Amino acid sequence: MTISTEAKAMAWLEKLPEADSVSIKRLQTLVDLLAGENTRQNLVSTASLASVWLRHIVDSAQLLTHVPRETSGPWLDLGTGAGFPGLVIAALSPERPVHLVESRARRIEWLRRAADAIGLHNVTVHGARLEAVESFPAAIISARAFAPLDKLLTLSARFSTADTVWLLPKGRSAAQELQELGGWDHMFHVEQSLTDAEAGVIVGTLSGPVRQARKGQYP
């Protein structure tokens, strides 16, 4: 069932296992900071602020429902932009290292200020293009509107292992992008977004380029 209102978004969030009074307070601080910063730079559309819990907070938090409970290790969020899903994930999972990659100077400044103000000590902001970020094995890789699927994998596969969980919100293009993906050995499928009846999230694992896949991490 699609979540369609702010009230339903809040009700869903309160039932999320990772949500408690402390994490909800962190998210409220993020919402307040976002509203203020959005008057100085266009982080998100002004219209979306009227349904910020649905459009940005729960839309991000829903990714946690696709992470197996035994999954541990760093979360890598590509092209974090305004902080979605990265800052939301960090607020809900304070014990997990969360790495945010963003190359735009004003967004980098915002991410660092927001993480500090919310008290997200588990956040590392990589203020650079992804190509310049040093490789490390990520337990989870997410990307919201970062790049077409094939390009995204080409740029970021070096951070993946055979066990890495990929969580890629792709809107209406999810099924088509996955259907058109070639040259990769993967176990991806599309999950229905909880916040948009026409949107999908690509979920799964990646072994590597076809005929070049090998066990463990690969370049």
Side-chain angles (χ1 to χ4, degrees):
M1 184 177 68
T2 304
I3 301 169
S4 57
T5 67
E6 287 289 87
K8 290 179 179 179
M10 287 299 301
W12 179 91
L13 187 63
E14 289 170 356
K15 294 178 182 178
L16 189 71
E18 292 83 357
D20 56 24
S21 59
V22 176
S23 59
I24 296 294
K25 185 177 180 179
R26 292 191 195 102
L27 292 173
Q28 182 62 64
T29 301
L30 172 59
V31 167
D32 294 341
L33 291 169
L34 179 69
E37 183 66 20
N38 217 55
T39 65
R40 291 181 282 275
Q41 61 171 310
N42 186 32
L43 291 172
V44 298
S45 71
T46 302
S48 74
L49 290 176
S51 53
V52 65
W53 289 93
L54 172 66
R55 294 278 300 278
H56 300 297
I57 305 301
V58 170
D59 187 65
S60 298
Q62 69 172 312
L63 298 184
L64 288 166
T65 66
H66 301 299
V67 178
R69 288 219 171 263
E70 65 274 13
T71 304
S72 61
W75 186 305
L76 174 63
D77 188 38
L78 310 176
T80 302
F84 306 112
L87 288 179
V88 175
I89 298 303
L92 290 165
S93 305
E95 302 306 316
R96 183 188 296 278
V98 179
H99 295 260
L100 313 181
V101 180
E102 176 57 48
S103 61
R104 290 167 289 184
R106 295 188 72 191
R107 301 292 174 92
I108 295 165
E109 180 190 10
W110 150 252
L111 292 171
R112 288 174 173 159
R113 281 194 288 107
D116 286 344
I118 300 167
L120 300 179
H121 305 298
N122 56 327
V123 166
T124 299
V125 178
H126 299 271
R129 293 180 61 84
L130 181 60
E131 296 91 326
V133 178
E134 185 175 352
S135 298
F136 63 87
I140 303 160
I141 297 176
S142 62
R144 188 190 195 199
F146 176 66
L149 183 57
D150 184 65
K151 181 178 180 181
L152 189 159
L153 297 180
T154 298
L155 290 171
S156 55
R158 62 192 174 92
F159 296 93
S160 185
T161 74
D163 298 319
T164 299
V165 178
W166 293 72
L167 304 172
L168 309 173
K170 280 290 183 179
R172 299 178 182 180
S173 69
Q176 182 178 347
E177 287 196 47
L178 185 54
Q179 183 178 11
E180 295 175 351
L181 180 65
W184 294 92
D185 185 4
H186 65 83
M187 292 289 289
F188 288 150
H189 66 280
V190 176
E191 292 281 352
Q192 172 66 51
S193 170
L194 295 178
T195 60
D196 185 341
E198 298 183 350
V201 181
I202 295 176
V203 177
T205 57
L206 180 72
S207 296
V210 172
R211 292 186 299 278
Q212 297 179 35
R214 57 187 176 86
K215 186 177 181 180
Q217 192 177 359
Y218 43 80

